[in-house]
Amino acid sequence: MKHLPPSTLLKLAALFLLCGACALPLHAEDQATPVAIELPATDDGLPGAGPIRRYDWFRNLWTQRRSAWTKQVEQDQKALVFLGDSITQGWGDNIGGAFPGVKVANRGISGDTTRGMLIRLKDDVLALNPTGVVLLMGTNDLEEGGEPEVIAGNLKLILANIKTHNSKVPVILCQVFPSSETKKRPADKIKKINELYAAAVKGDPQVTLIDTWKLFANEQGDAKAEEFPDLLHPNQIGYDKWAAALRPILATLDFLETTDDDFQPEPGFVSLFNGKDLTGWGFRIQKTLEKTASFDGQKTSTDGRYIAKHGRIIVSTPPEGRRVQQMWTSQEFPKDFVLKLEFRATPNADSGVFIRQPQLQCRDYPLAGPYKMLTKYRPQDWNELEIVVKDNVARCTCNGEVLEEAFKLPATGPIGLEGDAGQMEYRRIRINEEK
């Protein structure tokens, strides 16, 4: 055989390598997985169960919004992501500017169902590596004939996928808002969904459940026209209430209110909380008031329920849904005194302030009672309690309105803060004792 010149051999080798390289499959890590933008034509092989909308207007909106989001993946990294339907979409790209300084990403699509959200969860939410996820979902499933058990099943799958992606990222689950039977969203079905949601996240510290149903529902369990003009979508009043409900939880999760409170007590008053840790507080046996634990120098109680942060004592939402716990001052107060403090409650939160030993109910009063007729109470905002004790009787007011005119007390005892359901916060706790 005639030998080929070296230059020809080099050319043949290069051609062989080139062709060989073309024939070799790319490794998985070298292949860019395209985002499936368009709505799948059928349910075949799709995760979850229940309805998926395929009306022309919905297909177009789905494609339009998701196409735009593919161009924002990098800029929306580490955002607080809101996943939902038209209620979420209607809040606007920046969530109405409700949370200044917080990087947010709105991933709501009008008309979407829980199964639709499950299908797009990976690309629309998890691809952003969110620092938190706010969920509101389920109302559209009802209009399409979805049953509460199926809807709750899709929620469980969404939560499982979030946990697989990041077992630490906080999730805020909003209960389904009330609507109306005229919208094919009857109150009994919505209440059932919310019961199943609560059961699905019970005992899960990664998920905080907010009672956004009772926040909006009228006596019949339906939406109020002054907040939901079409009995489905909130107006600005409704969005403001939703933002207020989220704000305390976002503060606890360090999205908001991340600087220390610089409040100083009035002359004659002494702080019972130093704003930095739980020094001076601990656990006691409620019946006997025997001390069982001291939290001096600690930022959290031994059970993790009480947290000192930026001048606030936070009694966090219990994963169990409801858990009664009290934390007490180490000091006792036998003299006449004036006690002042401010509290903030999430919707329908239940708590109390113990005065020596008896409990004054301290709650989200309009929803949880017992003082539902207050006119100066500020829902999901700070309210001031003033307790004036003289001759073992306390006069208790909230923002100047009387709660109890003559609350009978024992001769001495500590001050206590209770946690029950929802999140409660206390700050600016100070006392002026009789000299």
Side-chain angles (χ1 to χ4, degrees), residues 393-409:
V393 175
R395 184 177 189 270
C396 310
T397 61
C398 177
N399 300 331
E401 295 183 276
V402 175
L403 304 178
E404 298 289 340
E405 190 66 60
F407 195 61
K408 294 184 179 179
L409 305 176

Side-chain angles (χ1 to χ4, degrees), residues 46-63:
L46 297 181
I52 299 173
R53 286 178 155 168
R54 290 191 171 87
Y55 309 116
D56 287 343
W57 68 264
F58 182 71
R59 285 179 175 276
N60 293 336
L61 181 64
W62 172 288
T63 302

Side-chain angles (χ1 to χ4, degrees), residues 101-334:
V102 180
K103 185 178 183 179
V104 296
N106 187 327
R107 293 299 181 263
I109 296 181
S110 180
D112 210 0
T113 60
T114 53
R115 194 175 186 188
M117 294 178 215
L118 173 63
I119 293 166
R120 61 187 181 86
L121 177 71
K122 178 182 176 183
D123 295 324
D124 293 358
V125 178
L126 302 184
L128 306 183
N129 295 300
T131 51
V133 181
V134 180
L135 303 175
L136 176 67
M137 56 181 61
T139 190
N140 290 327
D141 298 63
L142 290 178
E143 188 180 24
E144 297 295 326
E147 290 299 322
E149 291 76 11
V150 174
I151 297 167
N154 289 335
L155 169 73
K156 291 178 184 178
L157 291 174
I158 287 170
L159 292 174
N161 277 272
I162 293 173
K163 287 175 176 292
T164 298
H165 177 79
N166 186 339
S167 62
K168 302 293 185 183
V169 63
V171 178
I172 301 174
L173 175 61
C174 301
Q175 288 189 335
V176 179
F177 293 179
S179 183
S180 170
E181 191 160 7
T182 63
K183 297 290 183 180
K184 299 182 181 180
R185 296 166 173 85
D188 60 334
K189 289 287 181 99
I190 293 177
K191 286 192 280 188
K192 182 61 177 178
I193 294 171
N194 288 332
E195 288 173 5
L196 293 171
Y197 279 6
V201 302
K202 186 175 182 179
D204 188 344
Q206 191 173 347
V207 183
T208 301
L209 180 67
I210 301 183
D211 189 346
T212 42
W213 179 80
K214 195 167 186 179
L215 176 68
F216 291 116
N218 64 15
E219 292 181 358
Q220 291 74 43
D222 292 331
K224 305 169 189 172
E226 61 268 27
E227 297 170 352
F228 295 76
D230 65 352
L231 302 183
L232 179 59
H233 301 95
N235 56 17
Q236 191 58 51
I237 297 171
Y239 280 119
D240 288 346
K241 287 181 69 172
W242 188 16
L246 289 168
R247 201 163 285 120
I249 301 300
L250 293 179
T252 294
L253 295 173
D254 288 322
F255 288 97
L256 297 169
E257 301 176 16
T258 55
T259 58
D260 293 343
D261 182 22
D262 59 2
F263 175 79
Q264 295 296 321
E266 308 93 319
F269 281 82
V270 176
S271 291
L272 297 182
F273 168 50
N274 65 22
K276 301 181 183 303
D277 59 41
L278 300 178
T279 295
W281 296 81
F283 284 160
R284 295 175 181 251
I285 299 173
Q286 185 178 355
K287 288 186 177 180
T288 64
L289 295 183
E290 177 186 351
K291 296 178 182 178
T292 59
S294 171
F295 304 139
D296 287 358
Q298 300 179 26
K299 292 185 180 295
T300 61
S301 58
T302 49
D303 65 346
R305 183 81 182 280
Y306 291 81
I307 306 162
K309 181 178 291 188
H310 301 306
R312 312 187 302 274
I313 291 179
I314 302 165
V315 194
S316 59
T317 306
E320 303 91 338
R322 183 175 187 269
R323 175 158 59 93
V324 179
Q325 181 61 279
Q326 301 92 25
M327 185 175 72
W328 305 80
T329 58
S330 304
Q331 184 180 353
E332 300 196 4
F333 303 95

